[in-house]
Amino acid sequence: MAIAVFGDIHGNLEALEAIIKDIKKNRKIKQAFFLGDAITFGPDSSECLKLLAKHKDKIKCVIGNHEQRMVRYDSSVSTMTYAGIKHMEYIYKSLDNDDLRFIKTMPNEIKINFKGFNILFAHYAHDQSGVVRDDYDEFSESHLHGLFGDKNADVVFFGHIHSRKIIINEHSKSYICNGSSGCVKGDKTFYTYFDICDHHCVDLNFDIYRINVKYNRKRFEEKMRTLDIPEKQNFGKFCFGLEF
């Protein structure tokens, strides 16, 4: 039995469809976890939420900072990286009541015991009131210990930072920053395949693979170019490699 992890789809429905299809084909994967930020930037925020809701038994979702701003709206929404107030209002108006209800079911974090090890899934760290942090501080073990050190977890999966990075520490917490599966610049997206070696192994042994999946990039680009998405000139190149 293995698990799949992905996150930060950011409105890229074609990437999400391809990932779910591939996960369903892999018989070793019994459960999947989505690390938040299904919405904003891409053309299909509502559709991504609905697809995740449809597969909620197979794919467990935590809330991202972008979803959180839809239900806990405050002044920070206007300062979010690459997404100003016009874009966030556009996204909010594209969501229906079912989308908002689904967002409200998303926890800040999910903890499981997987083959004897405690695994934590979160979009990123959050403050005492539950608000997901918006910062993108350096990826270092000491900094991550400051964010997640009080969590009873052997492995911490998180998103938010769009670059995929991994720190494995057999004698302390291991950190897996999954990266963004939606903000990709080519015709391939990805998810993380994760398993733990059987207990007869002498040392803790993780199987971590980046599974690349081809998606319909042409259809995605056509939507991005034809739809009047506010501020796409600001984030199109950085998020998707597109200029308008």
Side-chain angles (χ1 to χ4, degrees):
M1 174 180 141
I3 60 177
V5 187
F6 63 104
D8 291 272
I9 281 293
H10 284 296
N12 189 338
L13 179 63
E14 285 71 29
L16 179 58
E17 289 174 334
I19 288 171
I20 292 176
K21 183 178 179 180
D22 200 80
I23 288 173
K24 289 171 70 175
K25 289 193 304 183
N26 192 322
R27 294 183 179 180
K28 290 185 179 180
I29 296 174
K30 302 303 181 183
Q31 188 69 66
F33 296 87
F34 178 73
L35 299 176
D37 278 3
I39 65 172
T40 67
F41 301 143
D44 291 309
S45 289
S46 177
E47 291 79 2
C48 286
L49 286 171
K50 285 178 171 55
L51 187 55
L52 288 168
K54 179 181 177 181
H55 294 278
K56 62 183 179 180
D57 291 335
K58 176 79 171 182
I59 304 172
K60 303 300 181 183
C61 302
V62 298
I63 196 167
N65 57 311
H66 285 252
E67 282 96 19
Q68 205 168 65
R69 292 307 181 272
M70 296 295 108
V71 294
R72 297 182 63 160
Y73 193 91
D74 58 36
S75 59
S76 68
V77 73
S78 63
T79 59
M80 293 181 74
T81 307
Y82 300 105
I85 190 70
K86 290 183 179 179
H87 183 75
M88 298 304 286
E89 287 182 347
Y90 168 83
I91 297 299
Y92 181 77
K93 291 177 182 177
S94 75
L95 306 182
D96 61 26
N97 289 333
D98 287 339
D99 299 328
L100 297 175
R101 279 193 288 267
F102 179 57
I103 289 174
K104 290 177 181 179
T105 69
M106 296 177 178
N108 270 333
E109 58 189 41
I110 295 173
K111 295 178 182 178
I112 66 169
N113 187 278
F114 182 62
K115 298 186 177 181
F117 296 91
N118 294 321
I119 315 292
L120 173 72
F121 304 91
H123 182 67
Y124 198 52
H126 50 82
D127 63 23
Q128 292 182 346
S129 68
V131 175
V132 178
R133 293 169 58 116
D134 281 341
D135 64 87
Y136 295 82
D137 289 340
E138 76 282 356
F139 187 89
S140 68
E141 194 165 9
S142 60
H143 176 68
L144 292 171
H145 280 332
L147 295 178
F148 299 105
D150 62 341
K151 303 295 183 181
N152 179 24
D154 301 298
V155 182
V156 178
F157 279 94
F158 65 94
H160 191 55
I161 301 170
H162 287 186
S163 298
R164 189 170 184 266
K165 300 178 181 179
I166 298 173
I167 294 177
I168 299 298
N169 190 329
E170 293 181 0
H171 307 291
S172 183
K173 285 182 172 60
S174 294
Y175 299 99
I176 302 171
C177 177
N178 193 77
S180 174
S181 296
C183 293
V184 289
K185 297 178 174 63
D187 65 353
K188 289 183 180 178
T189 182
F190 69 94
Y191 63 91
T192 297
Y193 175 99
F194 179 79
D195 203 354
I196 296 175
C197 181
D198 292 337
H199 291 277
H200 65 264
C201 292
V202 176
D203 296 315
L204 180 61
N205 185 13
F206 297 144
D207 287 332
I208 306 174
Y209 302 106
R210 175 183 169 128
I211 307 296
N212 292 315
V213 183
K214 193 168 183 178
Y215 74 101
N216 193 333
R217 175 76 180 188
K218 182 177 180 181
R219 187 170 65 189
F220 171 77
E221 286 192 11
E222 183 179 0
K223 292 178 185 177
M224 286 295 297
R225 295 189 186 283
T226 57
L227 292 175
D228 187 20
I229 302 173
E231 302 177 12
K232 65 181 179 180
Q233 294 83 1
N234 298 340
F235 56 76
K237 185 175 182 179
F238 174 80
C239 290
F240 306 114
L242 297 173
E243 294 190 65
F244 305 99

